[in-house]
């Protein structure tokens, strides 16, 4: 690594009579501190012009110039302040050149905000930045940019491969009752109705089916394992996603949350007037009257629970914490991906979260999977499978290494959809997952244990629309063909609403 920073220190007044070269020589020990001998930052050039000291600071891997310049600032402030009553008013950098080796060769061009130039020669990268202020240098942006370059290259190598997928278990094939698309059939019968984009109204029949599935989750999983219900907010502010890590990649799927600039009716009078006259919503005008997004609608259910624990130490007697939420919908902008009720913009999910010491979390993960297995085999009688997957975000968080032990990571539950084609060739539906998230959340939200050991956590999201699709795609719409364990819990279906 080779860092070259051209920067200037601006003093509160001219430095007449100060032996600046002497001071700079004296500062070399401070600049090199912590680095192996001869490898710390050093001042390669310096020139004093009135109250401005222009410097060229270079370094290898250690004591990088953007740190060194602040060490120098402190050093000079002390020396000059006391004796000459001169302060340092400002630090700015005209140019910062960083030459370093990336982990892998990029496959294509990389864009990078703040970079004036970014060039590669094999694994050698030259990054050039210009006109940097105090905040940029101080905030470690440079280190983050180097990490981001490596991350982007890594992503290029990942592209197309999707996630790492490894089969863990598969049920026996089950003879499906039919091979139709249940969404289409339910729509035809008026059980469900498409509204807006990716949003459905569930009529009484399908609602009863969904609630029965929820009841099964409560009876067969949540009660036996002693999970308690909580209510988690569904409007999520940025602070949550910053801590959960979602702020690193969600943007294309968020439904944004924009509060009004004022609730004063007078402020909105023009909007209401225009609507009353034209019958149209004046969207452009509304846009001027709302604030920028303060966050978005619930994407994953568990992150907005974590502020409840943030900064706290959890008593051992409360561990493992076992909670679940079913208090509202999740929303994702799925764009073109919408299909039937299995991929919708607004969906219903039961989210189950557990937090404890690593063995507690691992043990619960296993128990939950076993309870699911019973539900899918004995009550829903599904043809399904489990796969160990490593999602991209985990790879990004640098957690992939853990997954060799199959402890931290995600199990996807997938169901065969006969209407999509053969078992071998068609895409199965991920109808839920169960993750051991390791220390990601406790660390992100600074949640501590009473003991020395780092807390871990896990979560599993039961996508109810997807359960319905998996079940009905295999079992058809006629309760006669449904497994008895399910029918027993369902009771009678309510009558369909007839349309003339
Ligand atoms: P997919 O790959 O199908 O988009 P995902 O990986 O984005 O799913 P997760 O973020 O793991 O899904 O969400 C957990 C669960 O939430 C899924 O297993 C599924 O049951 C449900 N889910 C996610 N997105 C949707 C959606 N658009 N419509 C209905 N259910 C969904
Ligand atoms: Zn979760
Ligand atoms: Mg998705």
């Amino acid at each position: 690594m080779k860092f070259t920073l051209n920067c200037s220190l601006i003093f509160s007044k001219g430095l007449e009579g100060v032996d600046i070269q002497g001071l700079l020589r004296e500062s070399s020990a401070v600049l090199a501190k912590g680095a192996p001998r001869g490898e710390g930052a050093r001042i390669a050039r310096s020139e004093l012009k009135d109250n401005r000291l222009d410097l060229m600071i270079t370094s290898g891997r250690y004591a990088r110039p953007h740190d060194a310049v602040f060490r120098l600032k402190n050093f000079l402030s002390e020396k000059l302040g006391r004796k000459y009553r001169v302060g340092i008013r400002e630090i700015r950098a005209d140019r910062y050149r960083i030459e370093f080796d990336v982990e892998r060769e990029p496959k294509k061009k990389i864009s990078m905000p703040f970079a004036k130039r970014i060039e590669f020669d094999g694994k050698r990268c030259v990054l050039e930045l210009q006109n940097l202020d105090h905040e940029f240098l101080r905030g470690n942006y440079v280190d983050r940019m180097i990490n981001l370059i490596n991350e982007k290259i890594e992503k290029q190598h990942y592209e197309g491969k999707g996630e790492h997928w490894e089969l863990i278990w598969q049920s026996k094939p089950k003879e499906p009752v039919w091979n139709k698309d249940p969404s289409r059939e339910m729509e035809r019968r008026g059980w469900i109705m498409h509204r807006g984009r990716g949003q459905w109204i569930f009529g009484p029949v399908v609602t009863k089916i969904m609630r029965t599935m929820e009841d099964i989750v409560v009876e067969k999983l949540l009660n036996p394992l002693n999970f308690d219900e909580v209510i988690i907010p569904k409007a999520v502010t940025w602070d949550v996603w910053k801590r959960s890590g979602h702020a690193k990649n969600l943007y294309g799927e968020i439904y944004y949350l924009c509060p009004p600039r004022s609730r004063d009716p007078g402020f909105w009078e023009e909007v209401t007037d225009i609507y009353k006259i034209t019958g149209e919503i004046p969207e452009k005008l509304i846009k001027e009257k709302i604030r920028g997004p303060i966050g978005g609608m619930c994407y994953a259910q568990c992150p907005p629970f974590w502020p409840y624990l943030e900064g706290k130490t959890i008593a051992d007697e409360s561990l493992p914490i076992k909670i679940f939420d079913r208090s509202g919908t999740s929303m994702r902008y799925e764009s073109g991906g919408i299909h039937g009720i299995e991929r919708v913009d607004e969906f219903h999910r039961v989210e189950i979260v557990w937090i404890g010491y690593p063995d507690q979390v691992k043990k619960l993960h296993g128990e939950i999977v076993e309870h699911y297995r019973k539900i899918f085999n004995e009550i829903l009688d599904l043809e399904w499978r489990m796969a160990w997957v490593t999602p991209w975000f985990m790879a990004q968080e640098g957690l992939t290494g853990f997954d060799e032990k199959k402890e931290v990571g995600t199990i996807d539950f997938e169901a065969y959809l006969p209407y999509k084609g053969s078992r071998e060739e068609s895409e199965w539906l991920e109808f839920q997952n169960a993750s051991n998230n390791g220390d990601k959340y406790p660390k992100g939200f600074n949640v501590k244990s009473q003991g020395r050991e780092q807390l871990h956590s896990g979560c599993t999201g039961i996508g109810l629309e997807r359960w319905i699709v998996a079940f009905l795609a295999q079992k058809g719409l006629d309760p006669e063909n449904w497994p008895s364990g399910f029918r027993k819990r369902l009771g009678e279906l309510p009558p369909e609403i007839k349309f003339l």
Side-chain angles (χ1 to χ4, degrees):
M1 276 183 159
K2 230 168 94 186
F3 291 80
T4 311
L5 178 70
N6 293 83
C7 61
S8 308
L9 303 184
I10 316 293
F11 297 94
S12 55
K13 58 181 189 205
L15 294 187
E16 292 82 24
V18 178
D19 174 17
I20 192 75
Q21 290 306 332
L23 286 174
L24 291 180
R25 268 195 304 280
E26 219 182 295
S27 76
S28 67
V30 179
L31 297 195
K33 210 165 131 192
R37 182 180 273 275
E39 292 188 53
R42 62 180 206 93
I43 297 170
R45 233 179 17 226
S46 63
E47 192 182 350
L48 184 66
K49 288 181 196 142
D50 194 23
N51 72 332
R52 200 180 87 200
L53 177 64
D54 293 334
L55 297 165
M56 182 163 110
I57 308 176
T58 60
S59 85
R61 175 187 308 276
Y62 303 95
R64 301 167 182 192
H66 58 276
D67 286 330
V69 70
F70 290 100
R71 294 189 190 183
L72 180 66
K73 178 190 175 210
N74 290 343
F75 175 83
L76 290 178
S77 298
E78 206 192 302
K79 296 279 175 191
L80 297 172
R82 221 184 305 141
K83 201 162 162 197
Y84 302 97
R85 309 224 156 270
V86 179
I88 296 175
R89 255 200 343 233
E90 200 188 325
I91 295 178
R92 55 169 180 249
D94 298 340
R95 185 165 171 265
Y96 200 3
R97 188 177 186 278
I98 300 144
E99 212 180 311
F100 63 103
D101 284 332
V102 291
E103 283 147 34
R104 294 164 91 170
E105 235 177 88
K107 291 175 130 179
K108 54 184 186 211
K109 226 179 135 207
I110 285 180
S111 67
M112 183 62 47
F114 307 115
K116 185 77 192 166
R117 184 164 76 95
I118 172 168
E119 269 162 26
F120 290 91
D121 179 9
K123 284 189 181 175
R124 196 74 180 160
C125 175
V126 176
L127 174 67
E128 196 179 306
L129 311 171
Q130 284 183 3
N131 298 326
L132 309 176
D133 59 13
H134 181 276
E135 193 189 339
F136 196 99
L137 295 167
R138 186 97 250 200
N140 263 335
Y141 291 9
V142 175
D143 294 312
R144 295 211 194 109
M145 285 178 80
I146 293 172
N147 291 342
L148 184 55
I149 290 168
N150 274 305
E151 186 186 308
K152 285 193 172 203
I153 295 171
E154 192 60 23
K155 203 165 181 170
Q156 291 179 351
H157 286 270
Y158 242 92
E159 247 163 22
K161 282 193 212 147
E163 54 193 7
H164 172 77
W165 188 97
E166 201 180 316
L167 185 67
I168 308 177
W169 184 88
Q170 181 154 12
S171 74
K172 285 204 197 71
K174 307 231 159 114
E175 194 50 43
V177 166
W178 68 340
N179 62 359
K180 291 211 168 119
D181 174 352
S183 295
R184 292 286 151 274
E185 282 302 300
M186 287 194 285
E187 203 176 4
R188 209 176 49 78
R189 291 195 191 187
W191 288 14
I192 55 174
M193 194 204 151
H194 193 217
R195 272 295 306 157
R197 38 159 314 114
Q199 205 188 29
W200 294 78
I201 298 173
F202 289 83
V205 176
V206 70
T207 300
K208 181 100 193 255
I209 297 171
M210 189 190 275
R211 293 291 180 233
T212 304
M213 289 175 165
E214 251 180 86
D215 292 344
I216 292 170
V217 174
V218 173
E219 178 201 324
K220 288 289 176 187
L221 190 150
L222 297 168
N223 286 347
L225 292 177
N226 291 313
F227 277 81
D228 295 315
E229 185 161 7
V230 296
I231 296 176
I232 303 176
K234 296 292 171 278
V236 184
T237 42
W238 295 127
D239 57 315
V240 170
W241 284 334
K242 279 181 173 174
R243 297 196 184 286
S244 70
H246 286 91
K248 288 183 190 160
N249 42 35
L250 272 194
Y251 303 96
E253 287 187 47
I254 297 178
Y255 271 97
Y256 289 93
L257 201 61
C258 300
R261 288 189 192 280
S262 162
R263 78 189 283 274
D264 172 11
F267 180 77
W268 289 96
E269 192 173 330
E270 195 185 352
V271 172
T272 50
D273 288 349
I274 291 175
Y275 174 69
K276 283 176 187 165
I277 295 167
T278 66
E280 301 292 336
I281 308 285
E283 288 177 19
K284 248 173 93 181
L285 187 58
I286 291 175
K287 225 161 147 188
E288 290 167 18
K289 291 179 179 292
I290 56 180
R291 281 208 275 149
I294 56 167
M297 295 307 295
C298 171
Y299 178 91
Q301 240 157 304
C302 61
F305 173 70
W306 283 88
Y308 189 58
L309 310 177
E310 187 170 352
K312 305 244 163 66
T313 302
I314 316 289
D316 278 349
E317 63 183 295
S318 298
L319 295 177
I321 293 175
K322 292 187 273 187
I323 53 115
F324 71 99
D325 171 85
R326 50 169 168 179
S327 67
T329 53
S330 299
M331 296 196 66
R332 293 184 183 184
Y333 182 74
E334 294 283 3
S335 183
I338 295 162
H339 175 263
I341 62 164
E342 63 243 46
R343 183 172 296 282
V344 290
D345 276 23
E346 179 173 359
F347 55 95
H348 299 78
R349 189 171 44 187
V350 182
E351 175 90 352
I352 303 168
V353 183
W354 58 102
I355 301 152
Y357 288 109
D359 340 338
Q360 293 175 319
V361 167
K362 190 183 162 199
K363 181 161 171 271
L364 267 167
H365 188 243
E367 284 171 355
I368 287 167
V369 169
E370 281 320 303
H371 282 71
Y372 279 141
R373 197 200 295 264
K374 285 209 175 104
I375 294 172
F376 304 139
N377 288 345
E378 291 165 20
I379 300 180
L380 299 182
D381 186 39
L382 291 178
E383 177 168 351
W384 64 290
R385 67 190 179 197
M386 279 189 272
W388 186 260
V389 295
T390 309
W392 171 240
F393 85 88
M394 283 272 191
Q396 257 180 330
E397 309 281 304
L399 288 171
T400 27
F402 283 84
D403 111 272
E404 286 152 27
K405 286 191 282 173
K406 301 273 185 297
E407 277 179 23
V408 174
T410 293
I411 295 175
D412 271 1
F413 294 71
E414 302 178 347
Y416 172 47
L417 301 181
Y419 81 87
K420 287 214 161 167
S422 73
R423 291 185 168 81
E424 297 72 31
E425 279 165 24
S426 70
E427 194 186 335
W428 291 36
L429 178 68
E430 174 195 327
F431 59 94
Q432 65 173 38
N433 58 25
S435 302
N436 181 338
N437 297 316
D439 60 11
K440 177 180 153 83
Y441 286 99
K443 269 200 172 149
F445 288 88
N446 187 25
V447 184
K448 296 208 170 60
S449 69
Q450 219 180 314
R452 272 167 185 269
E453 219 176 345
Q454 170 68 49
L455 290 175
H456 277 199
S457 76
C459 70
T460 166
I462 298 173
L464 292 166
E465 279 84 356
R466 299 214 174 159
W467 273 40
I468 292 174
V469 170
F471 184 70
L472 298 181
Q474 294 183 16
K475 309 289 174 198
L477 299 194
D478 182 356
E480 289 292 316
N481 297 320
W482 296 351
S484 60
F486 186 75
R487 276 179 63 186
K488 187 180 84 191
R489 289 172 174 88
L490 175 77
E492 286 292 308
L493 279 180
E496 292 176 12
I497 295 172
K498 301 257 187 270
F499 297 102
L500 299 178

